[in-house]
Amino acid sequence: MEWENQTILVEFFLKGLSGYPRLELLFFALILIMYVVILLGNGTLILISIWDPHLHTPMYFFLGNLSFLDICYTTTSIPSTLVSFLSERKTISFSGCAIQMFLGLAMGTTECVLLGTMAFDRYVAICNPLRYPVIMSKDSYVPMAAGSWIIGVINSAVQTAFVVQLPFCGNNVINHFSCEILAIMKLACADISGNEFIMLVATTLFILTPLLLIIISYTLIIVSILKIRSSEGRSKVFSTCSAHLTVVIIFYGTILFMYMKPKSKDTLNSEDLDATDKLISLFYGVITPMINPLIYSLRNKDVKEAVKHLLRRNVFNK
């Protein structure tokens, strides 16, 4: 299609679950409940990591950042998704879609890098405990966390800038719950091989590289744990990193399946494939942030004690 025959889109239509009003009401109730749990669970972790002196360590500093990140990530998409479930008008402006895409990609990239730094923190704590206070000093872990946010913003800014410059023709239907970058790129009426290359480079640098760091860190951790003769000692050491390992498996399992599974030309526009993508995105974007604080609180005695202390202090203050 020639450029002069193209139309300038001013808004997109988010298809989501259009055509299934009963299913939309069900998903509205479920996602609303999950969003409340996300805010309460992650908000509690942020509060205890700030107020409890025993949790003023690199691990809980990273955990507080992860909780804040999950709140920000879900807030960029869930409220608008809930509104669309109840509204007949399911459109979003082009600029609003670009902002949502930028924020979602920035938060996702930041979380990948942050999980990598958390794995390195666990490696140093278990494999080099005597050097831990020196290696993971405040002058080290604060810049690590800040660097994760900066990398996320830069990566998202670059990819979003290239996507919004693509020409879009008459098709403005996004077969998704939100403005997800792959769903937007499918609507472009131009060659997107350049965008795909940029995404491949970004995926390698900011998703696979942290994943490689996580794999190496936990390989060394497991080797170190196996050298411990006492079964009680092995169990105690493993419990300190099992929560983070569980979060990593859930997070990377869903994101790698969603972004790196092969897509043939014959199935790229398949409704079944799109439905699968949307359900995986829902799991990645809602359920994972919801269960993160549950995993850390159920598998961590320090967190549970801090929560109990916070609740007791609130009760006595009343």
Side-chain angles (χ1 to χ4, degrees), residues 70-304:
D70 283 339
I71 291 176
C72 292
Y73 178 79
T74 53
T75 303
T76 62
S77 59
I78 290 182
S80 60
T81 301
L82 292 175
V83 171
S84 69
F85 282 151
L86 299 180
S87 174
E88 294 183 1
R89 182 177 176 82
K90 303 180 185 296
T91 57
I92 183 172
S93 66
F94 186 89
S95 58
C97 192
I99 293 173
Q100 190 179 78
M101 179 171 55
F102 166 77
L103 293 174
L105 187 58
M107 299 299 110
T109 304
T110 301
E111 185 155 353
C112 290
V113 180
L114 190 61
L115 288 173
T117 60
M118 292 174 73
F120 176 74
D121 172 73
R122 292 299 83 208
Y123 157 73
V124 177
I126 294 172
C127 299
N128 295 281
L130 297 179
R131 298 182 60 192
Y132 182 77
V134 177
I135 298 176
M136 297 303 296
S137 64
K138 191 172 184 178
D139 291 336
S140 299
Y141 68 77
V142 172
M144 285 181 183
S148 300
W149 288 90
I150 293 171
I151 289 172
V153 170
I154 292 175
N155 173 52
S156 182
V158 171
Q159 292 204 55
T160 302
F162 278 97
V163 171
V164 297
Q165 291 178 14
L166 290 171
F168 294 93
C169 305
N171 184 12
N172 69 335
V173 179
I174 302 174
N175 197 4
H176 214 280
F177 293 108
S178 61
C179 293
E180 196 269 336
I181 187 168
L182 288 177
I184 299 296
M185 287 169 57
K186 289 180 182 179
L187 300 181
C189 49
D191 182 17
I192 60 172
S193 58
N195 298 79
E196 291 176 336
F197 176 75
I198 294 173
M199 180 174 287
L200 177 62
V201 173
T203 299
T204 303
L205 290 176
F206 307 126
I207 297 181
L208 297 184
T209 301
L211 179 60
L212 180 61
L213 176 62
I214 292 170
I215 293 173
I216 293 173
S217 298
Y218 275 100
T219 300
L220 296 174
I221 288 172
I222 292 173
V223 171
S224 179
I225 291 175
L226 293 176
K227 291 180 180 179
I228 301 176
R229 296 181 180 180
S230 168
S231 59
E232 182 180 350
R234 287 195 298 266
S235 177
K236 183 177 180 180
V237 172
F238 183 75
S239 66
T240 63
C241 57
S242 59
H244 176 254
L245 184 59
T246 303
V247 170
V248 167
I249 292 172
I250 295 173
F251 178 83
Y252 269 100
T254 52
I255 196 173
L256 289 177
F257 183 80
M258 182 167 59
Y259 285 102
M260 301 193 69
K261 66 179 188 286
K263 297 179 176 66
S264 66
K265 292 182 179 179
D266 295 333
T267 61
L268 188 61
N269 295 318
S270 168
E271 289 296 323
D272 292 336
L273 182 63
D274 286 335
T276 303
D277 285 344
K278 286 187 283 189
L279 290 175
I280 294 172
S281 176
L282 182 66
F283 183 85
Y284 162 71
V286 180
I287 298 179
T288 302
M290 181 186 68
I291 64 177
N292 279 356
L294 297 177
I295 292 172
Y296 279 105
S297 61
L298 292 175
R299 299 288 299 173
N300 194 299
K301 293 181 180 179
D302 292 334
V303 172
K304 287 189 284 189

